[in-house]
Structures are given as structure tokens and as C-alpha cells.
Amino acid sequence: MKYVSTRGAATLGRFSDVLLSGLAPDGGLAMPEFIPTFTPDELEALRPLPYPELALRIMRPFIDDLPEEALRRLLHATYHPDVFHSEAITPLTRLGRTDLYLLELSNGPSLAFKDVAMQFLGHIFEYVLETRDQHLNILGATSGDTGSAAEYAMLGKARVNVFMLSPHGRMSAFQQAQMYSLHEPNIFNLAVSGVFDDCQDLVKAVNADADFKARYDIGAVNSINWARVLAQAVYYFKAYLALNLPAGTEADFSVPSGNFGNVFAGFLARRMGLPIGQLVAASNENDVLHEFFQTGVYHVRPAARVAVTSSPSMDIGKASNFERFLYLMAGQDPEQTHTWWQAVAEGRPVTVHGTSHWDAVQTSGLRGGRSTHADRLATIRRVDDAFGRLIDPHTADGVFVGEQYARPGVPMICLETALPAKFEDTVREAVGRTPERPDRFHGIEQAERFYQLLPNDAETLKAFIAQKLRAGQPA
Ligand SMILES: *Cc1c(COP(=O)(O)O)cnc(C)c1O
């Protein structure tokens, strides 16, 4: 399989090449040249497969530059009950006798769905770096979920170091404890005096220094990484097959959305032939996606206009993976995509409404919706009352919006993107009690914390990275 950029015809190489690179040289995102499909019979044959074997069948057509046995080994190591705490890996639970289901994606090491893809990255990075005799120093900024998922995925991995910036004192106590309690020679937590945007600006500043970037093998694990999208497509298949519906019968999905990575993975599954009817992108008060699906106009918001909400992992003003979706809506036309993102870069709205591409959006199955803080609290309370099940505020957003699109007799699968233990304060506000947390996180706030304070200054950050790498500490 060859990969191309959403903004130009130039080939980006094969899977291992796009795995280790960020944006394409033209600023676009990597996409496979074509999307292979499964027939209904082929889908049926996938039903009995355990998770790692299912993942192999789904991912293999896109990853054909590794020996199949190596990929199989990586997938078995990644999707193991010891890591995800069940045989099913991503169990599907019906809510009472309704047509509503929860797809549990958050039983991994950091208690959020990002583990499902990030754990795979950890294993495949190690393999590909070894084969190519390369090193990777991941530099990232986090406001919570991405950082902990990345660190838990990379700990102990050869040839990989993580330098993770976080805004000092601004994450939840639990999130801080989750990250800072790690004490591993290849993980560096850097608490920046500033806000999340300052952390992101520092990452950009380092990446803008091409010499430094090349000299120190600086890379990223952000949500535009193609391998993350691909790994996420697998659980849509897993959930659909677990329903045991007659061949060809539709199911709907509702996905708490921020950067559009998770819901785009669902769209990929649909394009591969999975009978998904509706695919609902559920947003919070930061509703650029909802606005697009209502009006056909995509208008990104500057960071200063992004609201701080009780579902913080969805607080975005632009949805980085949305470019992949519009590229497909344009019939894989890189020139059209380039024109659209030229507008985005200049702060202008992208108007798809009134063009032939809008017809494609209408038949894509994609829908949008939004929730407010009050909606999420009410949903957490209602799901707890009716089904005795506590959900986190992001999942509540998915349930709230999913219910609005529910069709009689059609399963609506809501993706559980985090466990309530991760967002205790909001859950307590909703139901007046503290959600349980897995045993391994008991008392984590009291654990010793390992982090380095860093001023909001790119040169200091570069000096820190250089010194750690020269010290030969890592890899
Ligand atoms: C990252 C995240 C999301 C948003 O996922 P995207 O792929 O960015 O759309 C939703 N919920 C939680 C808990 C997350 O961590």
C-alpha cells in the first residue's frame, strides 16, 4: 500500500515511512492510496476472531511492508488481557433493554480510549526503529489524556524517549498523579510555567528548528498519526460483530469528538464495508464540527476562543483529522483539499454547502451534535439512575447526542472514551458520590512525583533535551 498526502499527489512511501513522519512536506495528512473493502461474507468470517487476529485482518492491507508474522506478534503483545483487563479488549455492554450500548475503550493503562491506539504505537515504534536502526525522541504537549496514554505506551521501550510538556498545576490531581508518578529512564515530565497553549507553542518552536529536530530525532505521537487512526478502526468492527446482527443490518455509532480522529476511524471502517448507518460526531460547547454538519461551513476558532469545559479532552477550536474526511468527500482530490486548507490557514471559513461535495457529506452517514455542561451532568445522573452505570463527562456527551439520533430497533453504540475515575469532580457534581477507580490507582495522589519544572522558554527546553540525550541516559 502506498500513501499519499491529502494536499498533493506526491507519494509519501509505505506504512513504516508515514508511521515515523508527522505532516506531509506539503502540510497535508497521510492517506492510503485506496481503501480496501470487505464483502458481507468476509465480514461474517471475522466474527469469531479474537481481538489481535481481528486487528491483523483489518490492518494488514494497510501495513504490507512488515512481515505478517512480526505484525501478528506485535498485535498479540499489544491487545493482551493483562493490558486491557478483559479477553474482549473492548467489551460491548447493553444498557438495560434499550438499543443503547456502551463500547468500553477505557480499561487500558491510562483509563482513556487513547490507550487502544497508543499501546500499538509503542510496540510498532520499537519494531520499526530497530529494523531501521533509528531512534525517536517524542516531544509533545498535553492537557491530560494524550500525555499519559503516550507515556504508558512508551515506558520501557527501546530507542524511544518521551519529553512531555504539561501546564504546571493545571491538570486534574488524578491526571498529574498518573503522569508524574512514572519514574522511568526514558520518560521526562516537564511542567511548564504557563498554560496548555504555551506548551504547544514550545513544541512548535522546537520543531521549527530543523537542525535541532534532525540532530535529536524529534518526533510526535499526535492524533494525525495514521497508525493511530488505523488501530482505532478495529474496535468498530469488534463492536459491530459482537452485536450478532443478520448480514448487512445497520448499526449506528456515537463518538465523543475533539480532533475527529476517533470518529474518522469509524468512517474508515464504514468505507471498508462495515454496515454503519449513522456515525455521530458528538461535541461539547466547542462545536465547530456540529456547526459544519448543520450548515456546511467549517470555521475554525482561534485558541483564545476555545472554551474550557467539563469534557476537557474535547476542547478544540480546529479538528486536525477533519482534513482526511473532507479529502474523501472531495473524491480524494488533493487540489480541492489544498484550496480548502489555504482558507483555513488564512482564518477564512470553508464553505462546502451548495457544492457537489455537500451531497457527499449528506450521504456519508456523518452527523453532528453538541452538549452543554448541564446536559452532561443530567446524562450522567440519568444513566446512573436507569442502568446503575457511571459514565464520564466525555462519554455522557456521546450518549446525550447519540440518543437524539437513535432509530427504533437500530443499535446505537456510544463509545466510552474515558472512565469516570479520571474526571471525579464532574461526576461527583452530577451524582454526589465519588466514582470507583481501579485498584492500581488507589492512593496514586500520594505517590512520589517525578517532574522537572521548566520556564516557558524554547532555548531552555532545547538545552534540557540535548543534555539528557548527550548524557546517554536513554536508548
Ligand atoms: C482525545 C479524547 C476525545 C476526542 O477524541 P478525538 O479523536 O480527538 O476526536 C474524547 N474523549 C476523551 C476522553 C479523549 O481523551
Coordinates of all heavy atoms in Angstrom, one line a residue, residues 78-120:
T78 N 0.2 -6.3 22.1 CA -0.5 -5.0 22.4 C -1.9 -5.3 23.0 O -2.2 -4.8 24.0 CB -0.7 -4.2 21.0 OG1 0.5 -4.0 20.4 CG2 -1.4 -2.9 21.4
Y79 N -2.6 -6.2 22.3 CA -4.0 -6.4 22.7 C -4.1 -7.7 23.6 O -4.6 -8.7 23.2 CB -4.9 -6.4 21.5 CG -4.9 -5.1 20.8 CD1 -4.3 -5.0 19.5 CD2 -5.3 -3.9 21.4 CE1 -4.2 -3.8 18.9 CE2 -5.2 -2.7 20.8 CZ -4.6 -2.6 19.6 OH -4.5 -1.4 19.0
H80 N -3.6 -7.5 24.8 CA -3.4 -8.6 25.7 C -4.3 -8.3 26.9 O -4.4 -7.2 27.4 CB -2.0 -8.7 26.1 CG -1.7 -10.0 26.8 ND1 -2.0 -10.3 28.1 CD2 -1.1 -11.2 26.3 CE1 -1.6 -11.5 28.4 NE2 -1.1 -12.1 27.4
P81 N -5.0 -9.3 27.5 CA -5.9 -9.1 28.6 C -5.1 -8.5 29.8 O -5.7 -7.8 30.6 CB -6.4 -10.5 29.0 CG -6.2 -11.3 27.8 CD -5.1 -10.7 27.0
D82 N -3.8 -8.7 30.0 CA -3.1 -8.1 31.1 C -3.0 -6.6 30.9 O -2.9 -5.9 31.9 CB -1.6 -8.6 31.1 CG -1.6 -10.1 31.6 OD1 -2.6 -10.6 32.0 OD2 -0.5 -10.7 31.5
V83 N -3.1 -6.1 29.7 CA -3.0 -4.7 29.5 C -4.4 -4.0 29.5 O -4.6 -2.9 30.0 CB -2.3 -4.4 28.1 CG1 -2.2 -2.9 27.9 CG2 -1.0 -5.1 28.1
F84 N -5.4 -4.7 28.9 CA -6.7 -4.1 28.8 C -7.8 -4.7 29.7 O -8.9 -4.4 29.7 CB -7.2 -4.1 27.3 CG -6.4 -3.2 26.5 CD1 -5.3 -3.6 25.7 CD2 -6.8 -1.8 26.4 CE1 -4.6 -2.7 25.0 CE2 -6.1 -0.9 25.7 CZ -5.0 -1.3 24.9
H85 N -7.3 -5.7 30.5 CA -8.1 -6.2 31.6 C -9.4 -6.9 31.2 O -10.4 -7.0 32.0 CB -8.4 -5.1 32.6 CG -7.2 -4.5 33.2 ND1 -6.6 -3.3 32.7 CD2 -6.3 -4.9 34.2 CE1 -5.4 -3.1 33.3 NE2 -5.3 -4.1 34.2
S86 N -9.5 -7.4 30.0 CA -10.5 -8.4 29.6 C -10.1 -9.1 28.3 O -9.3 -8.6 27.6 CB -11.9 -7.7 29.4 OG -11.9 -7.0 28.1
E87 N -10.7 -10.3 28.1 CA -10.4 -11.1 26.9 C -10.9 -10.3 25.7 O -10.3 -10.3 24.6 CB -11.1 -12.4 26.9 CG -10.4 -13.6 27.6 CD -9.0 -13.8 27.1 OE1 -8.8 -13.7 25.9 OE2 -8.2 -14.2 28.0
A88 N -12.0 -9.6 25.8 CA -12.7 -8.9 24.7 C -11.8 -7.7 24.3 O -12.0 -7.2 23.2 CB -14.1 -8.5 25.0
I89 N -11.0 -7.2 25.2 CA -10.2 -6.0 25.0 C -11.1 -4.7 25.0 O -10.9 -3.8 25.8 CB -9.3 -6.0 23.7 CG1 -8.4 -7.3 23.7 CG2 -8.5 -4.7 23.6 CD1 -7.4 -7.4 24.8
T90 N -12.1 -4.7 24.1 CA -13.1 -3.6 24.1 C -14.5 -4.2 24.2 O -15.2 -4.3 23.2 CB -12.9 -2.8 22.8 OG1 -13.2 -3.7 21.6 CG2 -11.5 -2.2 22.6
P91 N -14.9 -4.5 25.4 CA -16.2 -5.1 25.6 C -17.4 -4.2 25.3 O -17.3 -3.0 25.4 CB -16.3 -5.4 27.1 CG -14.9 -5.1 27.7 CD -14.2 -4.3 26.7
L92 N -18.5 -4.8 24.8 CA -19.7 -4.1 24.4 C -20.7 -4.4 25.5 O -21.0 -5.6 25.7 CB -20.1 -4.5 23.1 CG -21.3 -3.8 22.5 CD1 -20.9 -2.3 22.1 CD2 -21.8 -4.5 21.2
T93 N -21.3 -3.4 26.1 CA -22.3 -3.6 27.1 C -23.6 -2.9 26.8 O -23.6 -1.7 26.4 CB -21.9 -2.9 28.5 OG1 -20.5 -3.4 28.7 CG2 -22.8 -3.3 29.6
R94 N -24.7 -3.7 26.8 CA -26.0 -3.1 26.5 C -26.5 -2.4 27.8 O -26.4 -2.9 28.9 CB -27.0 -4.2 26.1 CG -28.3 -3.8 25.6 CD -29.1 -4.9 25.1 NE -30.3 -4.5 24.5 CZ -31.3 -5.3 24.1 NH1 -31.1 -6.6 24.1 NH2 -32.4 -4.8 23.6
L95 N -27.2 -1.2 27.6 CA -27.7 -0.5 28.7 C -29.2 -1.0 28.9 O -30.1 -0.6 28.1 CB -27.7 1.0 28.5 CG -26.3 1.6 28.5 CD1 -26.3 3.1 28.2 CD2 -25.6 1.4 29.8
G96 N -29.4 -1.8 29.9 CA -30.7 -2.3 30.1 C -31.3 -3.1 28.9 O -30.5 -3.9 28.3
R97 N -32.5 -2.8 28.6 CA -33.1 -3.5 27.5 C -33.3 -2.5 26.3 O -34.2 -2.7 25.4 CB -34.5 -4.1 27.8 CG -34.4 -5.3 28.8 CD -35.6 -5.5 29.5 NE -35.5 -6.8 30.3 CZ -36.1 -7.9 30.0 NH1 -36.9 -8.0 28.9 NH2 -35.9 -9.0 30.7
T98 N -32.5 -1.4 26.3 CA -32.6 -0.4 25.3 C -31.8 -0.8 24.1 O -31.1 -1.9 24.1 CB -32.1 0.9 25.8 OG1 -30.7 0.8 26.0 CG2 -32.8 1.3 27.1
D99 N -31.8 0.0 23.1 CA -31.0 -0.2 21.9 C -29.7 0.5 22.1 O -28.9 0.7 21.1 CB -31.7 0.3 20.6 CG -32.9 -0.6 20.2 OD1 -32.8 -1.8 20.4 OD2 -33.9 0.0 19.8
L100 N -29.4 1.0 23.3 CA -28.2 1.8 23.5 C -27.1 0.8 24.1 O -27.4 0.0 25.0 CB -28.4 2.9 24.6 CG -29.0 4.2 24.2 CD1 -29.2 5.1 25.4 CD2 -28.2 4.9 23.1
Y101 N -25.9 1.0 23.6 CA -24.8 0.2 24.0 C -23.6 1.1 24.4 O -23.5 2.2 23.8 CB -24.3 -0.8 22.9 CG -25.3 -1.8 22.6 CD1 -26.4 -1.5 21.8 CD2 -25.2 -3.1 23.0 CE1 -27.4 -2.5 21.4 CE2 -26.1 -4.1 22.6 CZ -27.2 -3.8 21.9 OH -28.1 -4.8 21.5
L102 N -22.8 0.6 25.3 CA -21.5 1.3 25.6 C -20.4 0.4 25.1 O -20.3 -0.8 25.4 CB -21.3 1.5 27.1 CG -22.1 2.6 27.8 CD1 -21.6 2.7 29.2 CD2 -21.8 4.0 27.1
L103 N -19.5 1.0 24.3 CA -18.3 0.3 23.8 C -17.2 0.7 24.7 O -16.8 1.9 24.7 CB -18.0 0.6 22.3 CG -16.7 0.0 21.8 CD1 -16.7 -1.5 21.9 CD2 -16.6 0.4 20.3
E104 N -16.7 -0.2 25.6 CA -15.8 0.1 26.6 C -14.3 0.2 26.0 O -13.8 -0.9 25.7 CB -15.8 -0.9 27.7 CG -17.2 -0.9 28.4 CD -17.2 -1.9 29.6 OE1 -16.1 -2.4 30.1 OE2 -18.3 -2.3 29.9
L105 N -13.8 1.4 25.9 CA -12.5 1.5 25.3 C -11.5 2.0 26.3 O -10.3 2.3 25.9 CB -12.6 2.6 24.2 CG -13.6 2.3 23.1 CD1 -13.7 3.5 22.1 CD2 -13.3 1.0 22.4
S106 N -11.9 2.1 27.6 CA -11.0 2.8 28.6 C -10.5 1.9 29.7 O -10.3 2.4 30.8 CB -11.8 4.0 29.1 OG -12.3 4.7 28.0
N107 N -10.3 0.6 29.4 CA -9.8 -0.2 30.5 C -8.3 -0.5 30.4 O -7.8 -1.3 31.1 CB -10.6 -1.6 30.5 CG -12.1 -1.3 30.7 OD1 -12.5 -0.5 31.5 ND2 -12.9 -2.0 29.9
G108 N -7.7 0.3 29.6 CA -6.2 0.2 29.5 C -5.5 1.0 30.5 O -6.1 1.5 31.5
P109 N -4.2 1.1 30.4 CA -3.3 1.7 31.4 C -3.6 3.1 31.9 O -3.5 3.4 33.0 CB -1.9 1.6 30.8 CG -2.0 0.6 29.7 CD -3.4 0.6 29.2
S110 N -4.1 4.0 31.0 CA -4.3 5.4 31.4 C -5.8 5.7 31.5 O -6.2 6.8 31.7 CB -3.7 6.3 30.4 OG -4.5 6.5 29.3
L111 N -6.7 4.7 31.4 CA -8.1 4.8 31.6 C -8.8 5.7 30.6 O -9.9 6.3 30.9 CB -8.5 5.3 33.0 CG -7.8 4.6 34.2 CD1 -8.4 5.1 35.5 CD2 -8.0 3.1 34.1
A112 N -8.3 5.8 29.4 CA -8.9 6.5 28.3 C -8.7 5.8 27.0 O -7.8 5.0 26.9 CB -8.4 8.0 28.2
F113 N -9.6 6.0 26.0 CA -9.6 5.2 24.8 C -8.2 5.4 24.0 O -7.9 4.5 23.2 CB -10.7 5.6 23.9 CG -10.5 6.8 22.9 CD1 -10.1 6.5 21.6 CD2 -10.5 8.1 23.4 CE1 -9.8 7.6 20.8 CE2 -10.2 9.1 22.5 CZ -9.9 8.9 21.2
K114 N -7.5 6.5 24.3 CA -6.3 6.7 23.5 C -5.3 5.5 23.7 O -4.4 5.3 22.8 CB -5.7 8.0 23.9 CG -6.5 9.2 23.4 CD -5.8 10.5 23.5 CE -6.6 11.7 22.9 NZ -7.9 12.0 23.6
D115 N -5.4 4.8 24.8 CA -4.5 3.7 25.0 C -4.6 2.6 23.9 O -3.6 2.0 23.6 CB -4.9 2.9 26.3 CG -4.5 3.7 27.6 OD1 -3.5 4.5 27.5 OD2 -5.2 3.6 28.6
V116 N -5.8 2.5 23.3 CA -6.0 1.4 22.4 C -5.1 1.6 21.2 O -4.4 0.6 20.7 CB -7.5 1.3 21.9 CG1 -7.7 0.2 20.9 CG2 -8.4 1.2 23.0
A117 N -4.9 2.8 20.7 CA -4.0 3.0 19.6 C -2.6 3.3 20.1 O -1.6 2.8 19.4 CB -4.5 4.2 18.8
M118 N -2.4 4.0 21.2 CA -1.1 4.4 21.6 C -0.3 3.1 22.0 O 0.9 3.1 21.8 CB -1.2 5.3 22.8 CG -0.1 6.3 22.9 SD -0.1 7.5 21.6 CE -1.0 8.9 22.4
Q119 N -0.9 2.1 22.7 CA -0.2 0.9 23.0 C 0.4 0.2 21.8 O 1.5 -0.3 21.8 CB -1.1 0.0 23.8 CG -1.4 0.4 25.2 CD -0.3 0.2 26.2 OE1 0.4 -0.8 26.1 NE2 0.0 1.2 27.0
F120 N -0.4 0.3 20.7 CA 0.1 -0.3 19.5 C 1.3 0.5 18.9 O 2.3 -0.1 18.5 CB -1.0 -0.3 18.4 CG -0.6 -0.7 17.1 CD1 -0.1 -2.0 16.8 CD2 -0.7 0.1 16.0 CE1 0.3 -2.4 15.6 CE2 -0.3 -0.2 14.7 CZ 0.2 -1.5 14.5

